[in-house]
């Protein structure tokens, strides 16, 4: 079993944190995991991405040229990572900000209005948790229970964020799981 | 072992230094190793240690010299251009037989180059960098856990041989997060180098003078010092060779030699090549000096081709060629400039060599 995912978007969208929370959860579940950030000369508002490899074997190459899943939070990320997803893989698109279309028929595309869903829950900042929940809902890479209990632990000192984040993860998970079941 | 933590390589390297007993860290910030400095700026005061940022890496080199001469376990980290500035002091540290640990989280060069991962400081690390006849023990980790284990080994070996030890990591190792476990010691290691009472400049009251120096104007004395250092490097070459061999039994079509992150990429490329029916093995040097020449020569004698895969324009390949001694053709594959070949690049290049 090996899951490879790239999270990509603007600096400030919580891309790196989403990948780290996934990596921590995978570790808690006993998997081998590598989290690798892009660390070019980045700046706030520029593009940022990180990749996570989750495996039941030792992770060989930490570099993921053809991820099984790409989570794209803005148009530049769609341009870069839409074509990179492995055939048969999954493309999770933040449709609140991405208006570029991906015309690939060999990957499953799931549209997630992440910013709007997060705003509806009380804070647009939780868009990263919406797509993280969606990733786990679409792929089952880690257990959703492990993910939420890690988030409860991680934000224990900021209880005001715990419920919002768990709600966001759940909303994302439900949307993606329905999309996978519905086959749309 | 302690609990399993998810840590960035740079931060884990910093924590490992503290675990090894080091309480004196000097540095000058440079990407992609600055998280070591950031981490130790917070941690050193917590454990009663010293964190000091120098005005440059040149100054840092002599902060290491001074603190090590006083008997302290000392540590610095930098990245390629900064290590060039440390190189002068490394020659002096080696000459003065001072135990220090230096981490180089390599970025692409030459010159300022860029901040992305590279292994192009191989020559500098293994062949000198500074002037004169000296060697550093050079250890190259391929994972965050191995970086931690190597840091503990680095402090132990620096102390045992009284030499500078280089931890040579590529930028990827510094930046990636992986699960890591730190060993738990019943007795925390001392912040002082064991045996330093015999040679360190700790104050001469009640004993004879200790002299830590590198100037030998008398040629006979200089020659004797060179012979003393050479005997030490001979012992290191005899006792400190470390490597990992993967699938190197029997006859092989290709033997890969690769270290650090590049070796992990090769590990995935090997599976692709093996699926195509090729017999592919790999030797991953863990110590770059001393180089695992004998193991490579022995495996090369059973292989049709040897390929050195590096994040450089072909540096380690010279040592591989020297090790193989004509027992098989030796080729190089790699990328530089901060580009990291993906597994398919490596398998395609090797397939081309086999079929070509």
């Amino acid at each position: 079993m090996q899951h490879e995912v790239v999270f990509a978007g603007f600096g400030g969208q919580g891309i790196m944190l989403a990948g780290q929370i996934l990596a921590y959860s995978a570790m808690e579940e006993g998997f081998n995991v590598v989290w690798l950030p892009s660390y070019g000369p980045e700046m706030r508002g520029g593009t940022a991405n990180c990749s996570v490899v989750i495996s039941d074997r030792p992770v060989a190459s930490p570099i993921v040229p053809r991820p099984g899943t790409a989570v794209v939070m803005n148009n530049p990320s769609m341009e870069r990572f839409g074509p990179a997803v492995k055939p048969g893989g999954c493309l999770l698109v933040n449709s609140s900000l991405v208006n570029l279309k991906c015309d690939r028929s060999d990957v499953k595309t799931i549209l997630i209005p992440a910013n709007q869903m997060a705003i509806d829950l009380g804070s647009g900042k939780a868009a990263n948790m919406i797509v993280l929940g969606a990733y786990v809902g679409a792929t089952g890479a880690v257990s959703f229970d492990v993910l939420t209990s890690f988030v409860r632990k991680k934000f224990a000192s900021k209880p005001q964020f715990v419920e919002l984040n768990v709600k966001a993860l759940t909303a994302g998970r439900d949307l993606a799981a329905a999309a996978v079941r519905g086959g749309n | 072992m302690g609990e399993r933590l998810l840590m960035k390589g740079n931060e884990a390297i910093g924590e490992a230094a503290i675990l090894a007993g080091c309480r004196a860290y000097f540095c000058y910030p440079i990407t992609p190793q600055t998280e070591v400095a950031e981490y130790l700026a917070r941690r050193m005061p917590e454990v009663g240690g010293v964190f000091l940022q120098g005005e440059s890496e040149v100054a840092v080199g002599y902060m290491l010299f001074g603190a090590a001469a006083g008997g302290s376990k000392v540590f610095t980290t930098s990245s390629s251009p900064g290590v060039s500035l440390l190189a002068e002091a490394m020659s002096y540290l080696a000459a003065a037989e001072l135990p220090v640990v230096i981490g180089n989280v390599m970025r692409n060069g030459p010159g300022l180059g860029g901040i992305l991962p590279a292994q192009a400081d191989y020559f500098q690390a293994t062949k000198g960098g500074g002037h004169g006849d000296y060697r550093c023990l050079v250890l190259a980790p391929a994972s965050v856990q191995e970086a931690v284990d190597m840091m503990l080994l680095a402090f132990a070996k620096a102390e045992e041989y009284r030499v500078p030890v280089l931890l040579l990591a590529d930028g990827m190792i510094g930046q990636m997060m992986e699960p890591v476990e730190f060993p738990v010691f019943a007795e925390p290691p001392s912040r002082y180098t064991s045996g330093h009472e015999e040679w360190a400049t700790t104050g001469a009251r009640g004993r004879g003078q200790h002299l830590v120096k590198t100037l030998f104007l008398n040629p006979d004395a200089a020659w004797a010092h060179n012979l003393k250092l050479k005997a030490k490097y001979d012992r290191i070459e005899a006792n400190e060779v470390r490597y990992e061999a993967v699938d190197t039994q029997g006859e092989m079509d290709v033997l890969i030699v690769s270290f650090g992150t590049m070796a992990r990429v090769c590990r995935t490329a090997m599976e692709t090549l093996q699926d195509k029916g090729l017999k592919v093995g790999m030797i991953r040097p863990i110590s770059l000096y001393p180089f695992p020449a004998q193991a490579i020569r022995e495996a090369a004698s059973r292989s049709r081709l040897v390929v050195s895969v590096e994040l450089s324009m072909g540096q380690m390949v010279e040592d591989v060629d020297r090790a193989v001694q004509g027992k098989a053709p030796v080729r190089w594959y790699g990328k530089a400039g901060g580009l990291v070949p993906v597994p398919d690049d490596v398998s395609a290049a090797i397939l081309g060599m086999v079929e070509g």
Side-chain angles (χ1 to χ4, degrees):
Chain A
M1 184 288 291
Q2 181 154 310
H3 290 278
E4 300 157 350
V5 57
V6 170
F7 291 87
F10 291 122
Q13 277 182 315
I15 298 297
M16 299 298 184
L17 181 63
Q20 283 179 9
I21 289 174
L22 176 65
Y24 277 109
S25 303
M27 184 182 74
E28 302 255 312
E29 217 172 325
F31 293 118
N32 294 302
V33 63
V34 178
W35 174 90
L36 186 66
S38 62
Y39 74 96
E42 317 288 6
M43 58 181 183
R44 195 171 296 274
T47 59
N49 72 78
C50 67
S51 58
V52 181
V53 182
I54 301 169
S55 182
D56 54 7
R57 299 195 306 159
V59 178
S61 174
I63 304 157
V64 184
R66 306 290 318 254
T69 307
V71 179
V72 295
M73 293 293 280
N74 63 4
N75 277 328
S77 302
M78 180 68 153
E79 278 182 71
R80 180 163 168 202
F81 293 105
V85 176
K86 218 183 265 182
C90 190
L91 184 58
L92 303 183
V93 181
N94 176 16
S95 56
S96 296
L97 294 180
V98 178
N99 53 27
L100 292 175
K101 298 280 176 265
C102 183
D103 53 7
R104 289 182 60 178
S105 55
D106 61 342
V107 300
K108 176 156 189 66
T109 302
I110 302 175
L111 301 180
I112 307 149
N115 289 69
Q116 192 53 55
M117 288 169 73
I119 289 165
D120 293 345
L121 289 174
S123 168
K125 286 182 182 167
N128 61 341
M129 294 296 114
I130 300 269
V131 292
L132 176 57
Y135 170 72
V136 172
T139 63
V142 297
S143 136
F144 189 75
D145 288 342
V146 172
L147 178 69
T148 49
S149 45
F150 177 76
V151 165
R152 285 183 195 284
K153 199 165 80 180
K154 167 106 181 158
F155 293 97
S157 62
K158 300 171 183 168
Q160 68 274 30
F161 296 132
V162 168
E163 283 319 306
L164 171 66
N165 282 321
V166 171
K167 271 186 202 161
L169 289 169
T170 308
R173 189 267 316 255
D174 291 349
L175 185 147
V180 168
R181 268 200 312 276
N184 63 344
Chain B
M1 299 291 268
E3 64 174 318
R4 210 160 168 240
L5 304 167
L6 188 72
M7 276 183 99
K8 205 172 210 202
N10 281 336
E11 298 188 342
I13 286 169
E15 185 60 31
I18 287 174
L19 191 63
C22 176
R23 294 293 181 272
Y25 172 78
F26 311 103
C27 73
Y28 189 82
I30 179 170
T31 306
Q33 67 75 48
T34 301
E35 292 91 348
V36 186
E38 184 187 12
Y39 185 82
L40 288 177
R42 177 168 64 77
R43 280 290 280 146
M44 276 298 179
E46 283 175 4
V47 294
V50 173
F51 168 91
L52 191 56
Q53 179 176 327
E55 60 267 47
S56 77
E57 291 86 346
V58 176
V60 166
Y62 295 99
M63 291 175 176
L64 295 172
F65 192 112
S72 287
K73 286 181 184 169
V74 295
F75 181 44
T76 190
T77 51
S78 189
S79 181
S80 311
V83 176
S84 291
L85 291 175
L86 281 168
E88 179 196 64
M90 284 163 68
S91 170
Y92 282 71
L93 290 162
E97 300 185 83
L98 291 174
V100 298
V101 178
I102 296 169
N104 180 0
V105 184
M106 291 179 283
R107 57 189 255 177
N108 58 299
L112 272 180
I115 61 174
L116 293 171
Q119 297 177 325
D121 302 349
Y122 179 90
F123 282 152
Q124 183 193 51
T126 61
K127 313 294 179 196
H131 57 281
D133 278 308
Y134 80 95
R135 295 286 195 171
C136 297
L137 177 62
V138 183
L139 301 169
S143 68
V144 175
Q145 181 69 58
E146 195 175 38
V148 165
D149 298 341
M150 266 181 194
M151 281 293 292
L152 299 171
L153 182 71
F155 276 98
K157 294 299 168 185
E159 182 171 288
E160 179 181 342
Y161 293 100
R162 287 175 59 193
V163 291
V165 178
L166 257 175
L167 183 83
L168 198 71
D170 52 80
M172 205 80 81
I173 299 290
Q175 291 297 319
M176 67 167 67
M177 291 176 91
E178 286 189 301
V180 60
E181 287 173 49
F182 293 89
V184 177
F185 297 128
E187 190 94 0
S190 164
R191 64 192 294 164
Y192 299 107
T193 308
S194 75
H196 75 277
E197 299 85 354
E198 304 301 314
W199 53 266
T201 51
T202 51
R205 182 171 296 171
R207 63 157 168 79
Q209 184 190 43
H210 288 170
L211 203 52
V212 176
K213 66 164 195 168
T214 70
L215 181 68
F216 295 91
L217 288 175
N218 176 325
D220 291 331
W223 169 236
H225 190 58
N226 281 131
L227 287 175
K228 184 185 179 198
L229 294 179
K230 173 73 162 64
K232 181 154 69 176
Y233 303 143
D234 286 348
R235 276 196 293 130
I236 289 175
E237 289 188 21
N239 299 322
E240 303 302 337
V241 173
R242 288 177 169 78
Y243 63 92
E244 179 191 20
V246 185
D247 298 344
T248 54
Q249 307 83 355
E251 299 297 308
M252 286 171 277
D253 295 304
V254 183
L255 173 69
I256 295 171
V257 183
S258 189
F259 69 98
T261 299
M262 197 63 243
R264 291 175 65 159
V265 176
C266 288
R267 192 78 187 79
T268 303
M270 277 173 74
E271 290 176 12
T272 308
L273 292 166
Q274 287 167 344
D275 286 348
K276 291 186 192 295
L278 286 177
K279 293 207 174 76
V280 186
M282 176 164 71
I283 289 186
R284 176 173 73 87
I286 292 172
S287 60
L288 301 181
Y289 176 83
F291 193 66
Q294 203 178 330
I296 290 170
R297 178 156 58 252
E298 193 281 316
S301 70
R302 293 180 281 105
S303 184
R304 291 170 52 210
L305 175 70
V306 180
V307 186
S308 179
V309 184
E310 315 167 44
L311 293 178
S312 76
M313 297 310 290
Q315 299 192 13
M316 182 175 68
V317 65
E318 293 190 7
D319 282 341
V320 174
D321 197 39
R322 199 165 60 103
V324 169
Q325 291 181 349
K327 295 192 186 304
V330 174
R331 302 282 297 273
W332 162 80
Y333 174 73
K335 278 187 181 173
L339 297 176
V340 179
V342 298
D344 286 353
D345 295 334
V346 176
S347 54
I350 289 177
L351 211 53
M353 291 175 193
V354 170
E355 289 167 353

